[in-house]
Amino acid sequence: MQASSSHHVASQLEETSDAIDEVNILRGRLWDDESEFDKEKDKAAFRDYDSACERVKAFYKEQHEKQTVAFNIQARVDFKTRKRARMGVWEAIELLNTLVDESDPDTSLTQIEHLLQTAEAIRRDGKPEWMQIAGLVHDLGKLLLIFGSEGQWDVVGDTFVIGCQFSDKIIYAETFENNPDSKDALYSTKYGIYKPNCGLDDVMLSWGHDEYLYNVFKDQSYLPAEALAMIRYHSFYPWHREGAYRHLTNEKDEEILNAVKAFNPYDLYSKSDERCDAEELRPYYESLIAKFFPPLIDW
């Protein structure tokens, strides 16, 4: 991917991602009361809801038509069999930064600064180191744009369960009408390919940067279950905000739900024009990276 082309594609991705975040901000808040940093933030300063909805609805129409069981199985086969890169976490952050540098329409910050804003907001609230590092790395799955994706629809956006009836709690649920799985004799049923209360560990979520990064880190990190859940489920709004899929979740999922809810305000509200000094903060976060990750990771 050439530099000018990659910046253009990345800019489009970030604009869509920002619009998705804005819609999620404005649709409702079920965040943990202990999130202090955003209490004074003017949430009305984010871009206009109506214009965001138009962009986001077009995005979700494509995503909802293309996220099928067949696609998701193939995406996981590709993940396990395709060689992408082998590098450390900070190197991955720097690689993502080259892709999306200057692409964000809301701020003048680099991607590294966005990641540091999230981590620093968590740090200021006195949250544990593992949560700080989850904030730092949670968007690294957007490297899919470099490693190979079909488009924006399999990188960003709210996630949902594949292989059973599409929940009416999913944003713009009516746009699933052209997804072939919605008419499949098995996939369109309440439980589909799953057993009652099988647990989310055994459920296939729509493929994107969250699911990809979770699969990278689950066997190549020392992160606790709560941090992995924050990475995997923070875009799983039908579950953690709307209460869907309780017929598939188990006791373990209910225990980690509070951790996922606690993370989301940092994901949504930490972006601002207040700059972070990446070079000054780098030694601290590299020390955390060394605690929770091996020196090199297969991406």
Side-chain angles (χ1 to χ4, degrees):
M1 188 183 294
Q2 294 185 353
S4 60
S5 175
S6 67
H7 281 290
H8 176 67
V9 172
S11 177
Q12 290 181 321
L13 180 78
E14 285 302 293
E15 288 174 9
T16 300
S17 183
D18 287 343
I20 290 167
D21 284 348
E22 182 185 358
V23 168
N24 281 325
I25 289 167
L26 296 171
R27 285 183 76 219
R29 303 171 183 87
L30 287 179
W31 313 130
D32 191 289
D33 290 337
E34 295 182 6
S35 171
E36 299 291 338
F37 82 96
D38 66 327
K39 286 185 176 179
E40 302 302 321
K41 193 171 182 69
D42 180 11
K43 299 176 180 66
F46 287 83
R47 285 169 296 173
D48 179 73
Y49 178 70
D50 290 334
S51 62
C53 279
E54 285 303 310
R55 182 187 190 95
V56 169
K57 187 170 185 177
F59 163 82
Y60 278 119
K61 183 178 186 298
E62 181 178 18
Q63 186 205 50
H64 291 172
E65 290 174 358
K66 294 181 176 179
Q67 285 277 1
T68 62
V69 169
F71 167 77
N72 274 269
I73 290 174
Q74 187 59 52
R76 285 159 175 80
V77 170
D78 291 345
F79 170 78
K80 292 179 179 179
T81 59
R82 183 182 298 171
K83 291 184 178 180
R84 287 168 294 274
R86 182 171 174 79
M87 57 186 166
V89 169
W90 192 267
E91 186 180 356
I93 292 172
E94 291 180 324
L95 178 59
L96 184 64
N97 197 56
T98 65
L99 179 65
V100 301
D101 186 28
E102 299 179 354
S103 69
D104 194 321
D106 281 342
T107 77
S108 60
L109 303 181
T110 65
Q111 183 66 12
I112 284 181
E113 288 174 308
H114 288 324
L115 297 176
L116 287 170
Q117 281 182 339
T118 303
E120 283 291 280
I122 294 169
R123 183 184 179 190
R124 284 194 299 272
D125 275 2
K127 304 299 184 183
E129 291 179 341
W130 59 261
M131 188 170 176
Q132 296 171 36
I133 205 70
L136 182 71
V137 303
H138 77 283
D139 266 350
L140 284 183
K142 290 179 181 178
L143 287 170
L144 276 175
L145 201 64
I146 292 176
F147 297 148
S149 64
E150 298 291 325
Q152 297 183 20
W153 60 270
D154 61 335
V155 179
V156 295
D158 292 5
T159 57
F160 46 88
V161 177
I162 300 293
C164 67
Q165 183 181 43
F166 296 117
S167 172
D168 61 4
K169 300 296 186 181
I170 301 170
I171 187 171
Y172 301 122
E174 69 276 8
T175 59
F176 282 105
E177 62 182 0
N178 291 325
N179 184 310
D181 290 358
S182 68
K183 301 175 181 64
D184 184 90
L186 176 60
Y187 304 152
S188 63
T189 61
K190 179 178 180 179
Y191 290 100
I193 61 177
Y194 307 110
K195 295 180 180 179
N197 303 112
C198 59
L200 295 179
D201 284 347
D202 293 327
V203 162
M204 185 162 56
L205 295 184
S206 53
W207 186 256
H209 76 283
D210 300 341
E211 191 73 356
Y212 161 72
L213 191 64
Y214 166 74
N215 277 278
V216 170
F217 285 164
K218 68 178 182 178
D219 296 321
Q220 297 187 95
S221 75
Y222 319 118
L223 293 170
E226 292 85 353
L228 290 172
M230 291 172 179
I231 289 168
R232 188 185 187 203
Y233 302 130
H234 69 271
S235 299
F236 191 19
Y237 285 92
W239 174 56
H240 70 67
R241 185 165 71 186
E242 304 295 340
Y245 302 116
R246 290 300 192 269
H247 60 295
L248 297 178
T249 57
N250 59 18
E251 186 175 340
K252 176 186 175 183
D253 301 323
E254 296 305 314
E255 290 174 355
I256 63 170
L257 180 57
N258 285 336
V260 178
K261 287 183 177 181
F263 179 77
N264 268 78
Y266 301 104
D267 179 35
L268 287 179
Y269 299 131
S270 62
K271 185 181 292 184
S272 74
D273 285 316
E274 183 179 346
R275 306 198 76 92
C276 290
D277 188 329
E279 287 307 308
E280 180 181 340
L281 293 171
R282 179 173 177 170
Y284 173 75
Y285 284 104
E286 285 195 313
S287 71
L288 292 191
I289 289 169
K291 288 184 180 181
F292 293 103
F293 297 98
L296 295 174
I297 289 176
D298 290 317
W299 296 83

